[in-house]
Amino acid sequence: MKATDIILRDHRAAEDLFETFKGATPDAQEVIAKDLFDALATHEKMEDKHFYPALEEAAGDDPAIDDITGEQTRLEMEVMAIRAMSYVAGESEDRIAQMMDKVLAHAREEESVILPMAEELLSAERLEELGATMEPDSAVANAPE
Ligand SMILES: [Fe+2]
């Protein structure tokens, strides 16, 4: 699978997980929230380790990449801070919903700005090769059953 398709697949899975979270009982929400935090952390790590270095190598210094990776780092810290708080039904749900609004907006920006850039700058062969490296580190490949 192409690197860009692996990123899209992880994003859709995070959206699905968030939808499941919203529809769950408070007890189930606490468990799903952990899966959601794990999925986001795994996905960020995969992008930071494989995808962005490969894109930066091809694109050189590009402010659009700096913007999105900077935002990604800030969001990662926010997610970690929320994860560290003890879970309180209702209160945590609101906090996580606000966090996910930002995370999903970030994902959409990645999809509209960064993925087209990668499709343009990296050859089809390179995207496949990069995708194969990313796959075992993706959120979907590491999701609990
Ligand atoms: Fe992403």
Side-chain angles (χ1 to χ4, degrees), residues 14-15 18 21 36 40 95-105:
E15 280 170 2
F18 181 46
F21 172 84
L36 192 56
L40 297 179
R95 246 193 319 254
I96 288 169
Q98 282 170 21
M99 172 196 92
M100 284 308 289
D101 279 349
K102 292 187 221 170
V103 167
L104 295 177

Side-chain angles (χ1 to χ4, degrees), residues 7-109:
I7 289 175
L8 288 170
R9 190 187 57 174
D10 267 11
H11 288 178
R12 297 293 84 79
E15 280 170 2
D16 287 352
L17 202 52
F18 181 46
E19 286 305 313
T20 308
F21 172 84
K22 286 195 281 191
T25 62
D27 279 354
Q29 277 185 335
E30 189 172 353
V31 178
I32 298 164
K34 287 199 183 85
D35 291 344
L36 192 56
F37 291 136
D38 282 343
L40 297 179
T42 302
H43 178 79
E44 305 290 4
K45 228 182 280 172
M46 173 194 76
E47 287 182 342
D48 292 347
K49 183 176 170 192
H50 305 292
F51 180 74
Y52 279 108
L55 183 62
E56 274 165 349
E57 198 185 302
D61 241 346
D62 190 305
I65 300 177
D66 292 343
D67 279 356
I68 203 107
T69 53
E71 185 182 67
Q72 183 145 314
T73 304
R74 285 192 297 277
L75 277 171
E76 210 176 319
M77 281 159 61
E78 192 174 327
V79 171
M80 269 161 43
I82 292 171
R83 179 180 204 151
M85 295 175 192
S86 50
Y87 200 89
V88 182
E91 211 178 284
S92 295
E93 187 187 351
D94 291 346
R95 246 193 319 254
I96 288 169
Q98 282 170 21
M99 172 196 92
M100 284 308 289
D101 279 349
K102 292 187 221 170
V103 167
L104 295 177
H106 169 80
R108 279 191 295 273
E109 202 186 330

